[in-house]
C-alpha cells in the first residue's frame, strides 16, 4: 500500500479559506476510500480529525520547528502533497512532490521582487514539484505570468462546495436577524475583500441591511468600522465576526442576495455556497470569480458605490421577473463543484507519480 503525506497544518484555522480547503479535501479523500492508498495528515487537530474520520488517516503532529531544514521530516513517503503554496514545512528527502497553488496574491501584496524571501520560498516549492495543481484557471495563468514554472504535469482541479449538505436551520436564530431585506457576505477581513465598498454602497440601498461575517480583528476591519461610522450606518450594517456553519447557512438561505466584491480570489468558496442556496449572487468581475460564477451570477462593471447599488437593484429586478429559472441556473452552477470529484482528481495525480 502506498502512503501519501498531506501537509495540512493550516486546518488549525478551519474558518479560513485554507482551513476549509484542507478539511474538505480530507473529507473527499475519506469518502473516496481508495483501497490502495494510505494517508498521513500533518496537523495539530488530531483529536478533532479522529472524531470526524476515525482511523482512516494516520496523523503526524505538527511542530513549527519542522520548518527548519535540519529538522525536516525524514520519512520517505511515496508522495508528499503540499496542499497550499504558503506552507513552510518541506520533506527532507527528494520524493515525488505535489504542489497545490491557490493564488499568488503575495506577488502584489508583499513584493514583486523575485529575490524577496516570500517569493524565493515559493520558487523553491515550484522547483521541488513533480506535479502542480491549481484551484482555478486564473490561479494557473497568474502563476505563469509572474514565475518560471517547471516543465511538469499541471492540472486545474476545482474546489468543491463546503455547504453542499444543507443543515437544518429551521429552528436556528442568528445573533442578528434582520426584519426586512438584507445582503450578506463572508470572508476574512483583508483589504482585497473590498468590504468597505459594500458599506459605501448602502446609502444607495436604503431599504436593505448588510451583514458582513468573518474574522474582523485584522487592521482592515478598522477601515470598515470607520466607513460605517462616517456614513452613520450603525443600524443597517452589522459586522457579525466569525460565525458557525449553522449561522452561515441561515443567512445564505434567508438573505435577499449574496455580495462579494473581492479584488483577488484564487477560487472563492463563498459564492458557490451562496449559489447552492439559490440566492442572487453579485461578484467582482475580476480574477477567478467569473470562472466560478459563470452566467449564473451578476457582475459589477466598476466599483463606484452608486453604480454597484444600481447593479444590485437591476439584478434583483431581473430575478423577480423569472425567479424559478434564475434559481435553477444558480443550482446548476453550484452543482459543478463537488469535493468527492475533486478528491478523485487528486488521487489520479498521486497515482501518476507512484
Amino acid at each position: 500500500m502506498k502512503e501519501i503525506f498531506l501537509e495540512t497544518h493550516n486546518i488549525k484555522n478551519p474558518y479560513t479559506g485554507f482551513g476549509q480547503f484542507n478539511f474538505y479535501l480530507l473529507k473527499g479523500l475519506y469518502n473516496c476510500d481508495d483501497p490502495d492508498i494510505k494517508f498521513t495528515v500533518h496537523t495539530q487537530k488530531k483529536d478533532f480529525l479522529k472524531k470526524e474520520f476515525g482511523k482512516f488517516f494516520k496523523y503526524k503532529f505538527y511542530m513549527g520547528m519542522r520548518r527548519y531544514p535540519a529538522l525536516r521530516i525524514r520519512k520517505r513517503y511515496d508522495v508528499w502533497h503540499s496542499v497550499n503554496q504558503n506552507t513552510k514545512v518541506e520533506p527532507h528527502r527528494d520524493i515525488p512532490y505535489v504542489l497545490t497553488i491557490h493564488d499568488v496574491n503575495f506577488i502584489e501584496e508583499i513584493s514583486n521582487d523575485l529575490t524577496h524571501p516570500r517569493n524565493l520560498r515559493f520558487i523553491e516549492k515550484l522547483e521541488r514539484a513533480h506535479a502542480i495543481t491549481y484551484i482555478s484557471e486564473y490561479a494557473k495563468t497568474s502563476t505563469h505570468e509572474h514565475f518560471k514554472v517547471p516543465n511538469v504535469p499541471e492540472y486545474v482541479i476545482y474546489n468543491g462546495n463546503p455547504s453542499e449538505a444543507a443543515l437544518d436551520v429551521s429552528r436556528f436564530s442568528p445573533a442578528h436577524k434582520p426584519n426586512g431585506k438584507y445582503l450578506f457576505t463572508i470572508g476574512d477581513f483583508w483589504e482585497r475583500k473590498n468590504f468597505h465598498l459594500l458599506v459605501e454602497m448602502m446609502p444607495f440601498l436604503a431599504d436593505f441591511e448588510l451583514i458582513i461575517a468573518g474574522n474582523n480583528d485584522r487592521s482592515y476591519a478598522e477601515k470598515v468600522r470607520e466607513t460605517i461610522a462616517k456614513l452613520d450606518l450603525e443600524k443597517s450594517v452589522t459586522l457579525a465576526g466569525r460565525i458557525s456553519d449553522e449561522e452561515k447557512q441561515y443567512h445564505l438561505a434567508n438573505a435577499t442576495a449574496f455580495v462579494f466584491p473581492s479584488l483577488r480570489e484564487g477560487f472563492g468558496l463563498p459564492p458557490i455556497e451562496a449559489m447552492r442556496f439559490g440566492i442572487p449572487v453579485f461578484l467582482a468581475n475580476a480574477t477567478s470569480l467569473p470562472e466560478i460564477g459563470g452566467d449564473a451570477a451578476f457582475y459589477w462593471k466598476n466599483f463606484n458605490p452608486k453604480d454597484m447599488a444600481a447593479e444590485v437593484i437591476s439584478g434583483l429586478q431581473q430575478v423577480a421577473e423569472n425567479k424559478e429559472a434564475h434559481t435553477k441556473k444558480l443550482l446548476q452552477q453550484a452543482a459543478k463543484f463537488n469535493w468527492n470529484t475533486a478528491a478523485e482528481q487528486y488521487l489520479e495525480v498521486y497515482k501518476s507519480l507512484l
Side-chain angles (χ1 to χ4, degrees):
M1 182 175 288
K2 302 298 184 180
E3 189 167 3
I4 313 296
F5 184 85
L6 301 173
E7 209 305 273
T8 54
H9 81 270
N10 277 333
I11 206 167
K12 66 182 178 181
N13 298 313
Y15 295 107
T16 65
F18 284 149
Q20 291 269 290
F21 177 88
N22 289 359
F23 176 75
Y24 283 99
L25 176 59
L26 293 185
K27 199 165 187 177
L29 295 170
Y30 172 82
N31 290 337
C32 289
D33 192 16
D34 191 296
D36 298 321
I37 293 179
K38 189 70 178 176
F39 295 96
T40 294
V41 175
H42 201 208
T43 182
Q44 289 178 329
K45 293 270 190 179
K46 178 180 177 180
D47 292 340
F48 166 73
L49 294 176
K50 285 190 75 173
K51 187 175 180 180
E52 182 76 25
F53 304 116
K55 296 181 179 179
F56 179 81
F57 297 107
K58 292 181 181 179
Y59 301 97
K60 191 170 187 67
F61 186 75
Y62 168 77
M63 293 184 289
M65 67 180 67
R66 294 201 178 108
R67 295 176 296 172
Y68 301 107
L71 299 174
R72 286 176 173 173
I73 295 171
R74 293 175 177 267
K75 182 173 177 178
R76 186 180 288 280
Y77 292 94
D78 295 293
V79 174
W80 179 292
H81 184 186
S82 183
V83 300
N84 62 63
Q85 73 280 346
N86 74 344
T87 58
K88 296 179 180 178
V89 177
E90 303 290 357
H92 177 77
R93 301 177 183 275
D94 182 18
I95 58 178
Y97 184 98
V98 178
L99 171 63
T100 293
I101 298 175
H102 297 247
D103 61 63
V104 291
N105 290 340
F106 50 86
I107 199 78
E108 297 181 32
E109 296 176 347
I110 299 177
S111 175
N112 61 8
D113 180 359
L114 294 185
T115 64
H116 187 279
R118 180 66 183 84
N119 294 328
L120 288 175
R121 189 165 72 244
F122 179 67
I123 291 170
E124 179 189 355
K125 297 177 87 69
L126 285 173
E127 293 176 345
R128 183 186 288 273
H130 295 85
I132 301 173
T133 66
Y134 305 89
I135 63 171
S136 65
E137 292 289 349
Y138 167 74
K140 180 179 179 180
T141 300
S142 56
T143 301
H144 278 265
E145 179 182 349
H146 295 291
F147 295 93
K148 183 179 179 181
V149 178
N151 184 23
V152 298
E154 298 178 88
Y155 309 86
V156 173
I157 301 177
Y158 287 122
N159 294 343
N161 186 348
S163 295
E164 186 174 358
L167 303 175
D168 181 6
V169 295
S170 58
R171 298 182 181 180
F172 180 82
S173 183
H176 179 70
K177 187 175 183 179
N179 294 319
K181 298 183 292 185
Y182 72 101
L183 309 176
F184 176 67
T185 193
I186 186 170
D188 268 354
F189 273 62
W190 296 107
E191 188 86 25
R192 63 176 177 267
K193 296 296 184 181
N194 264 344
F195 290 150
H196 66 286
L197 290 180
L198 295 177
V199 178
E200 293 176 4
M201 177 181 72
M202 294 310 292
F204 304 101
L205 295 169
D207 294 336
F208 290 81
E209 289 187 43
L210 170 66
I211 295 178
I212 306 176
N215 178 12
N216 59 25
D217 58 4
R218 304 187 189 279
S219 59
Y220 171 60
E222 290 308 309
K223 179 176 180 177
V224 178
R225 293 188 180 96
E226 289 170 5
T227 306
I228 293 170
K230 178 182 176 181
L231 297 174
D232 193 24
L233 293 173
E234 288 88 347
K235 293 183 179 180
S236 58
V237 179
T238 299
L239 302 187
R242 285 177 170 166
I243 61 176
S244 66
D245 285 341
E246 289 82 4
E247 189 163 356
K248 176 177 67 174
Q249 289 203 11
Y250 175 90
H251 289 306
L252 291 175
N254 290 280
T256 308
F258 179 80
V259 286
F260 201 69
S262 179
L263 276 176
R264 288 185 289 275
E265 290 291 327
F267 182 83
L269 289 171
I272 61 168
E273 294 183 88
M275 290 188 290
R276 155 69 178 81
F277 286 87
I279 63 171
V281 171
F282 294 84
L283 306 174
N285 191 20
T287 62
S288 68
L289 294 179
E291 194 177 338
I292 304 309
D295 64 356
F298 297 99
Y299 299 93
W300 287 299
K301 301 175 183 65
N302 63 65
F303 291 130
N304 176 285
K306 187 175 182 179
D307 293 341
M308 291 174 69
E311 182 66 37
V312 171
I313 293 169
S314 172
L316 292 177
Q317 288 175 343
Q318 292 178 51
V319 171
E321 291 169 2
N322 197 342
K323 186 173 182 180
E324 184 177 344
H326 188 75
T327 301
K328 182 179 179 181
K329 185 182 289 187
L330 286 163
L331 296 177
Q332 288 174 337
Q333 183 68 14
K336 295 177 182 179
F337 305 99
N338 179 277
W339 281 112
N340 291 347
T341 301
E344 289 171 358
Q345 292 174 313
Y346 280 106
L347 283 166
E348 290 304 312
V349 176
Y350 304 149
K351 290 177 180 179
S352 73
L353 299 179
L354 293 176

